[in-house]
Amino acid sequence: MAERHAPPRPLRDGDSREVVAEVWKLQEEAERHADADRRTREMAVAAAEVGLDAAHLPLAEGLVRARVEERARREVERTRLLRAAVVGVGAVALLGAAAVALWPSSPVHEPWSTDFSAAAAEWQMEVSPGSAATLTWPTEAGHGTVATVAVGALAPMADGRFWVNLDTRAHPDWAGATRVSFATRGDVGEGLDQVRLFLETPTERWRGPPLPVTADWHTHVVDLINFERQEKRGSAWEVVSWAPPATVETVSFKLGWYVNDAGARGTVTLDDLRVE
């Protein structure tokens, strides 16, 4: 005798509303997947237009996603530490005198700056094969000697990278520093509209955020906590937990890959680098 199944229980009004809510969730999830697929296709087309192999896109997306998650994790951790610090303010106040006596103080940073007046002997430009740029040291009213980088071409190499860097190893100690500032001005309209400052050693570096270059002089002030810290693992740089720079070998203003798009042209003028 065939087994008989009871008919499904009719849904009540509340159950029906729950069904509709589940439909909304499923539809939103499908739309998110569709948007992700669309973005992947658009990136593949854009990569092909500049000669990049779209086969590398999934790995690149994974790396960027890992960096985003790491930054979010660091922000959550920083918020937790700040809350813990607020809770512990009373205890710190009571033990402050003892802490001063028992523990060495943090390094005291002496602020320093350069107005590029002697920069021709301290700064060098590095340009990747296929790209073109020149470095000059004009004098501007109200600024004195400034550094002007004129980029004629940003052309990707076989691996997709390209760079125009303005570097120096002639700088004081960064230990104890908390912020950096510098002024920029540029000829806008041809795509060369951002600059990034890197603090580098062969195995560790701090990567500053992209900063806009405008037609008029503008002074950027950036806390070092907003620099992304990276360590070199093999031939690749990986984002790691933040720590302040204690040793910096090269200070580098970057205008190429990861800052401006291939094909961008124009000039960027720099002045008044200051570290506090």
Side-chain angles (χ1 to χ4, degrees), residues 177-225:
T178 59
R179 68 175 54 181
V180 61
S181 64
F182 58 91
T184 62
R185 180 183 63 77
D187 293 334
V188 298
E190 295 185 83
L192 197 77
D193 54 9
Q194 292 192 128
V195 63
R196 297 182 84 161
L197 180 64
F198 281 48
L199 315 176
E200 301 175 331
T201 74
T203 59
E204 183 182 27
R205 69 184 186 183
W206 289 261
R207 183 167 68 173
L211 298 172
V213 176
T214 56
D216 297 320
W217 280 107
H218 177 76
T219 298
H220 306 279
V221 181
V222 186
D223 291 334
L224 294 184
I225 189 67

Side-chain angles (χ1 to χ4, degrees), residues 153-166:
L154 290 177
M157 301 182 295
D159 61 2
R161 298 180 304 148
F162 52 92
W163 59 80
V164 171
N165 301 337
L166 182 60

Side-chain angles (χ1 to χ4, degrees), residues 243-254:
T247 301
V248 175
E249 291 189 11
T250 303
V251 176
S252 179
F253 288 101
K254 298 187 184 294

Side-chain angles (χ1 to χ4, degrees), residues 77-134:
E77 180 66 13
R78 187 171 70 155
T79 300
R80 185 188 68 80
L81 291 175
L82 287 174
R83 289 174 178 172
V86 171
V87 172
V89 163
V92 170
L94 292 174
L95 298 174
V100 169
L102 295 175
W103 295 96
S105 60
S106 300
V108 177
H109 177 74
E110 292 294 334
W112 60 267
S113 63
T114 175
D115 59 3
F116 290 99
S117 59
E122 300 174 353
W123 293 78
Q124 299 80 40
M125 191 168 63
E126 183 184 17
V127 182
S128 60
S131 296
T134 59

Side-chain angles (χ1 to χ4, degrees), residues 3 11 15 21 45 56 103 140 151 153 155 170 230 237 261:
E3 183 180 357
L11 295 177
D15 298 328
V45 172
H56 299 306
W103 295 96
E140 291 199 10
V151 176
Q230 298 179 322
W237 289 96
D261 294 332

